[in-house]
Amino acid sequence: MSIISLVTGWPGPSGFGSASTAEEVSEGIDAANLTAIVTGGASGIGLETVRVLAMRKVHVIIGARNLEGANKAKQQLLEQNPAAKLDVLKLDLSSIKSTTEFAHNFLALNLPLNILINNAGVMFCPFQLSEDGIELQFATNHLGHFLLTNLLLEKMKSTAKSTGIEGRIVNLSSIAHVHTYGDGIRFNKINDKNGYSDKRAYGQSKLANILHVKELTRRFQEEGVNITANAVHPGLIMTPLMRHSMLLMRLLQAFSFFIWKNVPQGAATTCYVALHPSLKGVSGKYFLDCNEKRASSYARDETLAKRLWDFSKNLINSSYKV
């Protein structure tokens, strides 16, 4: 997508563009037979994603750290749409224990799972380690979602097989994936405070989100599984995600107001990739403004994707003590 398309909102090949909203890209879609999980679905574009999926009759499970806030958001959505099917489960993606408990609690509900939207994240945090001793942005944005996806894969596979309906995994990445460390992923220094950059650490985690769907796609195709996995950049939206850099973001917004989106526009690409029938069978891709875009060279590196997968499994196994 060119800067002109971004500014004007002109649609791309999909028929949608930067000005499209989540309601517009999902208009006419009846998803009454689908169940979805949306992480971080209690605020920002996650909440808008939940709202629109529920409008399309999807049964949505919201994964959220703050149960009080999530239940309040659920009640507000039910006031707008009394027929919405919504549930809330506790989820802190920076915690291996919490992520594992969320997966077990969801599986105990004995529901199908058609769509997994890995939406939650943190951004530009000062250096800190998670309770498992892992750099917080990598732990929350990538590792938690990597673990959650793996814990739910068998459920997604069985759902796709029994229903004949394609499963879809959507990772929220960012155009910031291009601004990472020199080797893409700092495998040997993932938790090292020396050389830490809050901006590059964020870019690293967003690169990991794309590499994750790339390796998932390779594995799905190898197994012949009816599930797709894609990454999206939602665009620049002023949400609570930016709480660690609000002053900087507001200054940036003042000088680049013409490329910023509102929340309904910010949730559009997620809803498009999660629901639109035109993307049946499309996997391992990166989308921006509801159109496929070429990701960075690191993000297209199959060897790096495989290495990240193995590294992530080993990091979880070595970090989590029952």
Side-chain angles (χ1 to χ4, degrees):
M1 301 291 287
S2 69
I3 188 65
I4 295 176
S5 297
L6 180 63
V7 173
T8 62
W10 288 345
S14 70
F16 304 110
S18 63
S20 300
T21 66
E23 285 193 28
E24 290 169 350
V25 304
S26 61
E27 186 176 359
I29 295 175
D30 183 349
N33 55 346
L34 302 183
T35 301
I37 290 174
V38 180
T39 69
S43 64
I45 60 174
L47 179 57
E48 176 67 1
T49 299
V50 170
R51 185 187 73 81
V52 173
L53 290 182
M55 176 184 290
R56 305 306 174 213
K57 303 179 183 178
V58 179
H59 181 179
V60 185
I61 291 80
I62 301 169
R65 284 183 300 178
N66 182 345
L67 283 182
E68 182 180 353
N71 280 308
K72 186 178 294 185
K74 173 186 171 181
Q75 286 307 123
Q76 291 173 345
L77 291 177
L78 287 171
E79 288 171 8
Q80 299 170 21
N81 177 10
K85 292 184 288 184
L86 302 169
D87 288 296
V88 174
L89 291 175
K90 172 79 172 178
L91 174 61
D92 179 355
L93 285 154
S94 71
S95 163
I96 295 174
K97 179 181 179 182
S98 176
T99 302
T100 302
E101 288 177 348
F102 172 90
H104 290 166
N105 290 336
F106 171 77
L107 293 173
L109 297 175
N110 199 30
L111 293 170
L113 182 58
N114 307 94
I115 302 168
L116 174 59
I117 298 179
N118 292 320
N119 165 83
V122 293
M123 182 180 184
F124 299 168
C125 303
F127 180 82
Q128 55 186 304
L129 299 178
S130 70
E131 67 180 40
D132 302 300
I134 302 165
E135 188 275 309
L136 191 63
Q137 294 193 81
F138 190 80
T140 305
N141 297 350
H142 166 65
L143 204 65
H145 283 127
F146 174 85
L147 174 61
L148 179 63
T149 302
N150 279 357
L151 291 171
L152 297 175
L153 269 184
E154 289 308 313
K155 171 59 74 172
M156 292 198 72
K157 290 177 184 179
S158 64
T159 300
K161 185 174 182 180
S162 64
T163 63
I165 299 172
E166 177 183 85
R168 295 190 180 184
I169 297 170
V170 184
N171 278 4
L172 266 76
S173 180
S174 169
I175 199 168
H177 79 273
V178 303
H179 184 65
T180 183
Y181 294 107
D183 296 323
I185 307 290
R186 293 205 311 175
F187 290 108
N188 298 324
K189 298 180 179 180
I190 205 73
N191 301 323
D192 195 343
K193 187 174 183 179
N194 293 327
Y196 176 80
S197 160
D198 58 349
K199 309 301 186 297
R200 292 187 185 276
Y202 179 71
Q204 172 181 249
S205 70
K206 296 292 101 179
L207 169 62
N209 293 149
I210 304 177
L211 292 171
H212 182 205
V213 301
K214 191 169 191 65
E215 178 62 12
L216 275 171
T217 295
R218 186 189 69 79
R219 290 168 179 259
F220 290 159
Q221 292 174 348
E222 194 174 78
E223 293 179 47
V225 175
N226 188 25
I227 303 174
T228 63
N230 291 290
V232 304
H233 168 54
L236 286 171
I237 311 106
M238 193 64 71
T239 72
L241 177 66
M242 297 178 174
R243 59 187 173 275
H244 291 289
S245 55
M246 193 60 73
L247 182 60
L248 173 63
M249 290 298 106
R250 292 221 177 267
L251 183 62
L252 177 62
Q253 186 182 41
F255 289 95
S256 57
F257 62 91
F258 48 86
I259 64 172
W260 286 69
K261 295 182 178 183
N262 58 39
V263 170
Q265 292 169 338
T269 305
T270 301
C271 290
Y272 173 71
V273 174
L275 290 178
H276 207 278
S278 69
L279 294 185
K280 182 176 175 57
V282 175
S283 192
K285 305 299 183 183
Y286 170 64
F287 289 84
L288 182 155
D289 297 337
C290 301
N291 287 273
E292 185 182 335
K293 183 173 176 63
R294 185 177 174 87
S296 72
S297 57
Y298 279 138
R300 303 193 308 274
D301 188 329
E302 294 181 2
T303 301
L304 187 61
K306 176 65 167 61
R307 185 181 177 190
L308 176 64
W309 182 283
D310 294 338
F311 175 81
S312 300
K313 284 187 66 176
N314 291 336
L315 185 58
I316 290 168
N317 292 337
S318 64
S319 300
Y320 185 48
K321 304 295 186 291
V322 179

